[in-house]
Amino acid sequence: MFPKQIIDFFNHPIFAIVGGFTVIIAVFNLFYRIIFTIIGVSPIIIRIGKGIWRRKIGIIGNVEAFSTLSSCIIDSGIFKKKN
């Protein structure tokens, strides 16, 4: 299907070396993003969990934002209206 010259060109060892480095960098980048996403999101999850547990939830905002946000939070089923 492909000419032998093209296949031989892409089978050159430099492509294997560059490909290996690229895969190593991609895997490192994946772990880096996963770790820092967890580090960035975990404090929010912990604070929400403590807020639900202690039942002290406050919404700060103007009247329009409060009504929209409170209805979304109540509709999610995580928070009760009295909280």
Side-chain angles (χ1 to χ4, degrees), residues 25-60:
I25 291 170
V27 169
F28 176 74
N29 192 12
L30 175 69
F31 287 128
Y32 177 82
R33 287 178 183 261
I34 289 171
I35 289 169
F36 280 102
T37 301
I38 291 170
I39 289 172
V41 172
S42 61
I44 295 169
I45 293 172
I46 290 169
R47 286 184 186 199
I48 288 175
K50 285 182 179 179
I52 293 171
W53 182 63
R54 293 182 183 166
R55 299 188 181 265
K56 296 178 184 175
I57 306 298
I59 300 174
I60 300 172

Side-chain angles (χ1 to χ4, degrees), residues 6-22:
I6 294 174
I7 294 172
D8 289 341
F9 176 75
F10 285 109
N11 282 335
H12 195 272
I14 193 74
F15 285 108
I17 294 169
V18 171
F21 284 134
T22 305

Side-chain angles (χ1 to χ4, degrees), residues 56-80:
K56 296 178 184 175
I57 306 298
I59 300 174
I60 300 172
N62 58 15
V63 177
E64 297 165 1
F66 174 78
S67 63
T68 306
L69 188 56
S70 79
S71 66
C72 287
I73 289 174
I74 293 169
D75 291 341
S76 70
I78 297 173
F79 300 100
K80 296 178 183 175

